[in-house]
Amino acid sequence: MKDGPQTGSPRPTVGRPGLLAAGCLGLTALLLGCGDGEPLQLPTVLRGHEEVRLLDDGQAMPVALNAEQPLGLCLEVDPATDTSRWEARLDFGRRPSPDGFQPATARMGRTLCFDALPPPEAAASGRVELCGELVDRFDDRRFRLPCRSLLFSGDGPQHRRLVEELDEVLAASYRTDVFRLAEQLDGLSKRAQEAGWPLLEVRLDLILVHFLTLDGSPRALDEARRRLDALPPWLATPETSARGAQAAYQRALFALDAEQRLGDAWTFLLQAEQRYRRIADPNRFLVTVQQAAILTQVGSRGEAVQRLSMAISDCATMPCDEDLLAHARGELAWLILLDPYALERELQKAETNLLAGLDVLDESRYPLEVANQWINLAYLRVRQGHSPAAELQRAEGLLGQQHPDGEQHDDGDLDGEDLRGEGVGRLLDWAGLVRGVAALDNGVLERAVALCGELAGGNDPQLSAWALSCLGRAHRRAGDLERAAWAFDQALLRHEFGQPEDIDQQLSLAPGQRADDFARAARLEVERGSPEAAWELLARLDLLSADESERRRCREQAEDPEILRRWDEIETESRLLMQQLVELATPAAGQRREQAESIRRQLQERLSQLWRQWPGCRRAPDRQENGLDFRAVALEDEILLLHRLHDGSVKVEKRTDLPREHLVQITGRIEQALSRRDLDDGAWRQLVTPLARALLPRGAADRESSGEPLTFALHGLLQTVPLGALPVLDAGTSADDGGTEDGPRWFASTTTVVLRPAGTRPSSPARPAQDDRPLPEGAPRPVFVVDPRGDLAGAGGLLATYRQLFPEARVLAGREATAEAFRAALPAAAWLHVDAHGLYDSAFPELSAIQLADRPLPLVELAELPTGFRFANLSGCQTGRWPTTADSGRYGVAGLLSRLGVTWVIGSRWDLEDAVAEGFNRSFYQRLAAGDAIPLAHRRALASVQSRFPAVSWAGLLLLGDANSSGANRPSS
């Protein structure tokens, strides 16, 4: 679990690291342009100095207290600039560094820094000018770096003695009353002020704020808030970047832990990240770990894992504090434990990370952090089916040392009352909850009710929600459905405190505890005889999903000047970032490739953040569900399939026993098979038969002649199941039976399978169909985008077919299919077909794209374009792919168009073979031209490839839509 802050170390609990005791200062220098031998016309600021002298004009003069540590300059370079072979030589008041030209000391995205140890004689001269010369070893061009004033004070020994006294105070801090500690730190702060060390003053204040926050009493929190409000404005200057970043970080922790203001915490973290980035400070790692914790809290565990994993991997190329890295690995382990789909392999990875952290962290320095990791390891034992007793005993032994008397109960539990600060108490609660969950798993229901019930009324929303969920499960298994229903209802209310909008980021809810509790509550309603209530609970998950049409509405209807200004800023910066990503796409090798990848990740991360900021949008309105026939969700031990009838009533279609571990294994093999396309139909059928039994409606075998569309909402891991490629089985049929002489019967051959992405709205009325008269200029007409890169042989072969069947269509083929031509054609499109490569990035799915002739067209840009057409066929690899979500799924670029009101969208969740795409599209458009409605044309086109290719080749084709839309099922032409 997670808990309060700690300054001077990794944070002691739950995965949030603390404010480091030391840091460096620096600048971001903006590279504007240069020529051979010319000076770089850019401002520069030093990094590596310990202090500043405040000037009358509000500026800060960098001060080095001695010549014993390197000083340097940092540059923030245009993303397209290759700096892989840049070297620099610094000189201190006409005293060149004896090291000569050296490569960059540190890199972080677009930022690179050059450091050098000043010559001893430079320190003796007081004020010096730090200058430098830059050389590009690619062509030996040279540039002069501008000079910057620096003071050498010679105060290093005195400063070091004061810091040593601080270390002694901190060593005893856990046994010192927080206000006595405040007196000690204020005494040191007064001495720092008298010595003219303002950055040390700020550091002392931030350390005290940490301990006041950890204490948690109203008086302590008021004092912490007062001190944060009194922080000086000059901390925002580039000369104080490191300490300014620490201040923003501490503000974030206070907003999060003391005031539960996720939005403010996220904003402060972004501010801290920007300040750390511009000086390539590895302490940015602090921010990433905390951002991961917040993302997890609001339900986006997958993104949290991505961020934290990349940050940990960065430690291989830049120095990271050993304790902080150990803490981050523990946090990554915690995120793995939060994954309901994690199997033994992933759990072993979590165990490796936890044990590695426990080997590094000193429990005498970080007792709460170490105790937290022991409790997390105990929870891992529960996930593995083992007893957590040994790990909990280790943790509670450490927590007992934080109690004035070390008092323990006979059962080994510590009395959490009277413990100083809320950190220890919260960890004791977390340990108690682990015991409760273990009792539940072992069937000791009375003990589970007692332990979890005791924690259900706590003030911490996350811990309370988990305890209520445990209580609800225990009551259900004991047969007390009414008490179980109350517990689940209260758990869902606690979960509502973590709405994604609270951090000004529109995020999809990932699978996890919150989603599981919705599913458990839905199942309970079924058992109480109310399937309608179960349906509505699952529908609530969809209401938590971001809806791009709402984003567009908010933008178009914005009137408030401040909101308009924010939208303009988002759009301006987004356009710049997309242009920079395009420029960065030039092929590279060696160091430049590594450098470009780091920069690309920084740009992508920022662009994703901007995309998810929707000024003026507070909550998604209710969405109608016309035409949705089935909802399916997987629980720990079964799959629940609900059916809504035409009169609006809901019935339980099926409840099928299937342990989650088995489901994860099956879907993992499905993903592998569809990626490799290495299973014949017999092996495929045997693999997916358990899912066919759970997900295909009763009577599916009798639907051969109707072909009526059926619309499904698939929650969580079920989104990876290709419904159309499930075998149709009669009751009692085994995996080896049920086919015909021509091969197995698939669900897609008996009906049109339609998926409904989360956030889909009823589509707008269709444009009127055209008669046989020539189309007037500007009238809507089909748009075909065909083979922009010239490497899709199947698509090129269909070009003549498209023109013959739809002579009125606008065709953008080959090099004509540029992004600009696409944008120009879209407003007048009656419908859209795209034969192009699809690009998918699991780390930044918002940047999934369609590859056009000149550049990729990312989802974030496509979302801004007009989508008045009623149908789209995105015939490319992975155009329907997105990470698994707790709601009804996002489905990539195809899902975006569906949410923007396109009635029917065809996409592919996996790679699409050229031959399959050619066969499907040829048949589909022939049927469409002959007058078939889109669902029927889709079903018949699938049938044409089913007879020629194995199921793994076509199973990824998806039809997203609104089967009961008020518009026609035929695209206007």
Side-chain angles (χ1 to χ4, degrees):
M1 300 292 291
K2 314 231 175 284
D3 209 71
Q6 179 171 327
T7 303
S9 73
R11 296 189 67 204
T13 57
V14 172
R16 289 202 286 267
L19 193 63
L20 295 184
C24 62
L25 301 170
L27 102 115
T28 298
L30 301 177
L31 184 60
L32 302 180
C34 53
D36 276 351
E38 296 296 322
L40 296 179
Q41 301 300 319
L42 74 169
T44 59
V45 180
L46 294 169
R47 89 167 194 163
H49 52 287
E50 303 98 324
E51 273 296 343
V52 294
R53 177 171 297 175
L54 303 178
L55 306 178
D56 293 339
D57 60 0
Q59 298 300 308
M61 169 77 76
V63 177
L65 301 180
N66 53 60
E68 298 174 1
Q69 66 182 42
L71 298 168
L73 296 172
C74 296
L75 316 174
E76 185 176 1
V77 185
D78 182 89
T81 301
D82 182 358
T83 65
S84 60
R85 301 187 66 182
W86 282 17
E87 295 180 3
R89 179 182 64 189
L90 303 184
D91 61 85
F92 298 81
R94 302 184 183 279
R95 300 174 182 86
S97 167
D99 295 329
F101 284 95
Q102 296 290 326
T105 310
R107 292 180 180 272
M108 186 177 290
R110 300 169 57 182
T111 303
L112 65 161
C113 301
F114 299 94
D115 298 331
L117 194 67
E121 60 272 20
S125 59
R127 178 168 178 163
V128 300
E129 296 294 309
L130 175 58
C131 308
E133 185 178 6
L134 184 71
V135 60
D136 188 343
R137 292 302 184 189
F138 178 77
D139 56 9
D140 283 333
R141 287 184 303 160
R142 297 187 177 226
F143 313 99
R144 294 195 302 276
L145 297 175
C147 299
R148 184 72 184 183
S149 295
L150 164 72
L151 293 179
F152 281 97
S153 73
D155 291 340
Q158 300 95 309
H159 188 275
R160 188 160 42 247
R161 282 195 293 271
L162 189 54
V163 171
E164 289 171 354
E165 290 185 45
L166 170 61
D167 290 340
E168 293 174 1
V169 170
L170 293 178
S173 62
Y174 283 102
R175 298 187 178 278
T176 305
D177 175 82
V178 70
F179 290 100
R180 170 60 183 154
L181 178 64
E183 293 176 2
Q184 294 173 327
L185 293 176
D186 283 344
L188 296 176
S189 182
K190 182 178 180 181
R191 290 164 57 189
Q193 181 184 35
E194 291 171 348
W197 300 329
L199 292 183
L200 181 55
E201 287 184 72
V202 170
R203 179 186 170 195
L204 290 163
D205 259 345
L206 294 177
I207 291 173
L208 179 56
V209 165
H210 154 71
F211 283 104
L212 290 167
T213 307
L214 189 63
D215 180 88
S217 66
R219 179 187 171 195
L221 294 180
D222 286 344
E223 179 63 15
R225 187 179 295 107
R226 184 188 70 79
R227 291 187 181 245
L228 286 174
D229 290 342
L231 288 174
W234 48 259
L235 283 172
T237 62
E239 291 83 359
T240 61
S241 288
R243 193 70 76 216
Q246 292 173 347
Y249 179 77
Q250 192 64 46
R251 284 181 181 273
L253 298 186
F254 185 81
L256 184 66
D257 294 321
E259 300 175 326
Q260 288 78 52
R261 292 184 288 113
L262 291 184
D264 288 347
W266 186 261
T267 299
F268 285 131
L269 287 174
L270 292 177
Q271 186 181 91
E273 179 182 37
Q274 186 268 336
R275 293 173 180 177
Y276 278 137
R277 273 190 184 277
R278 66 188 182 189
I279 54 173
D281 192 325
N283 288 340
R284 173 184 170 257
F285 198 52
L286 290 161
V287 178
T288 302
V289 174
Q290 186 56 55
Q291 286 175 327
I294 292 181
L295 287 167
T296 303
Q297 185 174 346
V298 301
S300 190
R301 187 200 62 84
E303 181 171 350
V305 169
Q306 291 277 6
R307 282 183 179 234
L308 196 54
S309 298
M310 288 189 291
I312 290 173
S313 67
D314 285 343
C315 290
T317 58
M318 69 178 186
C320 292
D321 179 86
E322 187 179 44
D323 289 339
L324 180 56
L325 179 58
H327 169 76
R329 295 186 67 178
E331 174 72 1
L332 181 60
W334 169 246
L335 296 182
I336 294 173
L337 291 176
L338 290 179
D339 182 2
Y341 304 144
L343 295 182
E344 187 58 33
R345 179 179 175 182
E346 289 77 19
L347 295 179
Q348 288 177 353
K349 179 180 178 181
E351 182 176 10
T352 298
N353 278 302
L354 283 170
L355 293 176
L358 289 170
D359 283 343
V360 170
L361 294 171
D362 183 349
E363 64 183 38
S364 66
R365 294 183 63 196
Y366 316 128
L368 300 187
E369 169 70 13
V370 173
N372 180 72
Q373 295 212 17
W374 277 114
I375 300 173
N376 288 349
L377 189 59
Y379 181 58
L380 170 65
R381 299 297 180 227
V382 174
R383 288 287 307 267
Q384 293 173 324
H386 305 314
S387 169
E391 289 76 15
L392 290 176
Q393 185 176 7
R394 288 289 302 269
E396 289 170 339
L398 280 170
L399 296 174
Q401 298 173 19
Q402 307 310 307
H403 189 283
D405 302 316
E407 181 182 348
Q408 297 189 8
H409 294 296
D410 292 339
D411 62 1
D413 289 334
L414 284 163
D415 183 1
E417 296 181 2
D418 300 324
L419 293 178
R420 185 181 70 78
E422 295 185 358
V424 174
R426 190 166 188 264
L427 286 178
L428 290 172
D429 288 345
W430 171 220
L433 181 55
V434 171
R435 279 198 171 86
V437 173
L440 176 64
D441 287 352
N442 291 325
V444 188
L445 301 183
E446 289 186 3
R447 180 163 173 78
V449 168
L451 288 169
C452 296
E454 183 179 352
L455 301 170
N459 294 326
D460 184 296
Q462 182 188 23
L463 195 62
S464 178
W466 279 46
L468 285 161
S469 174
C470 169
L471 184 63
R473 283 179 282 163
H475 281 314
R476 173 183 173 269
R477 290 177 59 181
D480 193 340
L481 300 189
E482 295 305 313
R483 288 186 178 179
W486 174 87
F488 280 123
D489 181 65
Q490 293 299 308
L492 296 185
L493 288 176
R494 300 299 195 280
H495 285 307
E496 295 302 321
F497 285 107
Q499 285 283 359
E501 291 80 7
D502 289 344
I503 62 169
D504 195 27
Q505 294 279 289
Q506 300 286 341
L507 298 164
S508 299
L509 182 63
Q513 179 77 22
R514 185 177 179 186
D516 275 357
D517 285 344
F518 270 99
R520 292 162 180 154
R523 175 174 61 183
L524 188 65
E525 290 301 330
V526 165
E527 294 170 342
R528 296 175 72 205
S530 181
E532 288 84 3
W535 182 282
E536 292 305 318
L537 280 166
L538 295 178
R540 278 174 61 185
L541 285 174
D542 286 348
L543 292 177
L544 299 176
S545 301
D547 174 5
E548 289 83 0
S549 65
E550 177 68 9
R551 181 183 193 274
R552 180 176 290 182
R553 184 193 66 80
C554 288
R555 177 66 181 101
E556 292 172 350
Q557 298 182 5
E559 296 180 354
D560 181 89
E562 176 60 23
I563 291 177
L564 287 169
R565 183 190 64 79
R566 289 181 59 198
W567 274 112
D568 289 341
E569 289 177 348
I570 289 171
E571 291 167 355
T572 299
E573 186 177 354
S574 295
R575 284 193 294 270
L576 175 61
L577 290 169
M578 285 189 285
Q579 179 61 34
Q580 290 173 337
L581 283 168
V582 170
E583 294 172 351
L584 197 62
T586 305
Q591 292 181 342
R592 172 55 180 168
R593 181 173 58 198
E594 297 175 5
Q595 174 202 70
E597 183 56 36
S598 174
I599 296 171
R600 181 181 295 107
R601 197 172 74 197
Q602 177 184 345
L603 299 179
Q604 289 173 326
E605 187 174 297
R606 178 57 180 162
L607 184 55
S608 294
Q609 291 173 356
L610 289 172
W611 162 250
R612 295 190 303 242
Q613 291 180 22
W614 298 5
C617 298
R618 291 303 172 198
R619 60 182 299 273
D622 293 342
R623 300 164 187 145
Q624 301 178 30
E625 290 188 322
N626 296 334
L628 183 57
D629 299 300
F630 295 93
R631 281 191 182 274
V633 66
L635 294 105
E636 297 95 331
D637 53 0
E638 68 173 310
I639 292 177
L640 176 63
L641 180 65
L642 299 177
H643 183 192
R644 190 168 64 177
L645 306 177
H646 292 302
D647 63 3
S649 62
V650 178
K651 72 171 186 177
V652 180
E653 185 74 13
K654 286 184 178 179
R655 292 181 66 179
T656 307
D657 292 341
L658 188 66
R660 178 171 282 170
E661 293 79 5
H662 192 190
L663 174 64
V664 174
Q665 291 168 355
I666 294 174
T667 54
R669 290 171 62 194
I670 286 174
E671 292 270 8
Q672 185 180 69
L674 294 178
S675 174
R676 298 177 179 176
R677 295 185 287 278
D678 58 356
L679 292 186
D680 61 26
D681 281 351
W684 170 261
R685 192 167 186 275
Q686 189 168 13
L687 172 63
V688 300
T689 288
L691 298 178
R693 296 195 185 285
L695 294 174
L696 297 194
R698 299 182 187 278
D702 302 326
R703 299 180 57 85
E704 185 78 43
S705 60
S706 70
E708 177 187 352
L710 291 180
T711 305
F712 290 78
L714 302 179
H715 290 267
L717 196 59
L718 298 179
Q719 291 157 23
T720 64
V721 178
L723 285 181
L726 297 183
V728 175
L729 304 173
D730 296 322
T733 305
S734 73
D736 298 322
D737 302 323
T740 67
E741 293 182 359
D742 297 326
R745 284 197 304 152
W746 308 112
F747 190 38
S749 68
T750 68
T751 191
T752 302
V753 181
V754 183
L755 297 179
R756 172 73 65 79
T760 301
R761 294 168 175 268
S763 20
S764 55
R767 288 170 172 162
Q770 301 293 327
D771 54 29
D772 294 333
R773 291 174 295 180
L775 289 172
E777 185 66 27
R781 63 188 69 211
V783 172
F784 283 84
V785 178
V786 183
D787 196 12
R789 303 300 292 267
D791 54 1
L792 298 174
L798 283 173
L799 189 57
T801 300
Y802 297 152
R803 284 178 166 144
Q804 179 184 6
L805 293 175
F806 305 100
E808 76 283 6
R810 180 171 183 182
V811 178
L812 302 175
R815 295 181 179 178
E816 297 177 353
T818 64
E820 188 59 34
F822 181 87
R823 293 175 64 96
L826 212 57
W831 44 278
L832 174 67
H833 172 87
V834 178
D835 275 319
H837 292 291
L839 307 176
Y840 170 73
D841 185 340
S842 60
F844 303 101
E846 297 93 347
L847 302 184
S848 299
I850 297 169
Q851 179 64 64
L852 297 177
D854 55 340
R855 65 177 176 87
L857 185 75
L859 181 149
V860 296
E861 185 176 353
L862 184 59
E864 305 293 341
L865 302 180
T867 52
F869 45 92
R870 296 300 306 281
F871 159 67
N873 181 2
L874 306 180
S875 185
C877 296
Q878 306 188 84
T879 54
R881 190 168 183 183
W882 196 269
T884 299
T885 57
D887 53 28
S888 301
R890 308 296 293 172
Y891 298 104
V893 177
L896 167 73
L897 295 182
S898 186
R899 286 187 295 278
L900 291 177
V902 181
T903 306
W904 300 107
V905 185
I906 298 174
S908 178
R909 188 171 174 87
W910 291 276
D911 287 347
L912 190 60
E913 296 179 40
D914 275 359
V916 173
E918 180 183 9
F920 175 86
N921 288 328
R922 188 181 302 278
S923 174
F924 177 78
Y925 287 111
Q926 287 173 345
R927 301 309 313 172
L928 211 61
D932 280 0
I934 292 169
L936 181 58
H938 180 272
R939 185 167 74 91
R940 288 176 170 173
L942 268 185
S944 72
V945 296
Q946 288 170 19
S947 63
R948 299 166 50 200
F949 301 97
V952 293
S953 295
W954 54 264
L957 284 167
L958 307 173
L959 178 62
L960 309 179
D962 185 0
N964 287 353
S965 170
S966 58
N969 285 332
R970 298 176 179 82
S972 53
S973 59

